[in-house]
Amino acid sequence: MQTLSFDIQHQLNTLQSQQALELYAQAICLELHGMDLEPEKVQRLLQTVVDWRYGVYALSAGEVVGIAGFQQPNGSFTGAGNWRSILKALGYKAFWRLMRSPLNHGPQHFADSEMWHNGLYVAPAHRRQGIAKALLQRIADVAKYPGYQQLTLRVAHDNNTAKTLYQTLGYQPQQATSAYQCLTKTVLN
């Protein structure tokens, strides 16, 4: 396997934003595989709910190959839409399937000293190149600047690869729900 050269950045141009939308749509389609959502509806959903300012991106040769989102008290990678805009993007039947899915975490409640990591995806052809680790390290850097003391994330119970990565990077298991395990990491300034 050839080692990939990539850069991590916080802002995207218009073409890169479209690439990021398509890449993240792949991730959501995989997550919602049992819901029978058409990729076009997923892209409309993402256009409604994603705020690209709350993400970091891995680029290789100008192409977006990885995405990691975060949530702060003032905004979120996946929190830009409201229920009406989501309903309009998906249609009634798909909207209610989404509301009953494990992806609908409900509102996140966190302390002022805490930032949430909410979404990580690396294109399959670019995995095992250090991209996920680099994206997570950049998220930790973003958290340090305004003085957050803790990063928190959720991971599906059956996603052992991700849990291993997170624990390797210093995330510690916390409370769990029926679908997800929460992990936290202390961020030192």
Side-chain angles (χ1 to χ4, degrees):
M1 176 184 287
Q2 184 178 349
T3 302
L4 179 72
S5 172
F6 62 89
D7 295 311
I8 304 295
Q9 61 187 56
H10 189 64
Q11 296 182 359
L12 299 174
N13 65 33
T14 304
L15 175 62
Q16 293 164 340
S17 294
Q18 183 60 38
Q19 292 172 350
L21 174 72
E22 292 168 8
L23 182 64
Y24 207 61
Q26 289 175 20
I28 298 301
C29 284
L30 288 172
E31 185 82 21
L32 300 176
H33 66 277
M35 290 183 50
D36 195 30
L37 284 177
E38 302 87 26
E40 300 80 29
K41 284 188 178 183
V42 172
Q43 283 195 13
R44 281 198 313 267
L45 170 67
L46 293 177
Q47 288 170 332
T48 300
V49 302
V50 171
D51 187 336
W52 301 107
R53 296 174 299 169
Y54 295 95
V56 294
Y57 311 93
L59 281 85
S60 178
E63 177 186 351
V64 178
V65 296
I67 298 170
F70 58 90
Q71 179 176 352
Q72 300 171 326
N74 62 333
S76 173
F77 181 69
T78 57
N82 59 44
W83 71 269
R84 284 187 179 100
S85 61
I86 295 169
L87 176 62
K88 184 177 180 181
L90 291 178
Y92 185 78
K93 185 176 177 182
F95 172 81
W96 285 111
R97 283 193 308 242
L98 179 64
M99 292 299 107
R100 291 189 304 263
S101 81
L103 274 185
N104 183 19
H105 306 300
Q108 311 250 37
H109 302 287
F110 49 89
D112 290 340
S113 62
E114 181 180 29
M115 187 171 98
W116 279 76
H117 160 66
N118 65 350
L120 173 68
Y121 187 71
V122 176
H126 301 287
R127 292 183 181 161
R128 303 218 177 268
Q129 301 279 331
I131 293 173
K133 182 178 179 181
L135 287 166
L136 290 166
Q137 288 173 330
R138 181 61 64 92
I139 293 279
D141 292 342
V142 169
K144 288 177 189 177
Y145 176 70
Y148 293 108
Q149 297 172 6
Q150 183 172 293
L151 276 170
T152 302
L153 59 84
R154 287 186 179 115
V155 61
H157 287 296
D158 63 351
N159 193 344
N160 293 321
T161 302
K163 284 196 271 188
T164 299
L165 171 66
Y166 297 140
Q167 290 176 342
T168 300
L169 293 173
Y171 286 85
Q172 299 297 315
Q174 302 297 321
Q175 73 272 15
T177 67
S178 60
Y180 291 94
Q181 171 76 52
C182 285
L183 295 101
T184 61
K185 175 181 179 170
T186 300
V187 180
L188 302 174
N189 290 320

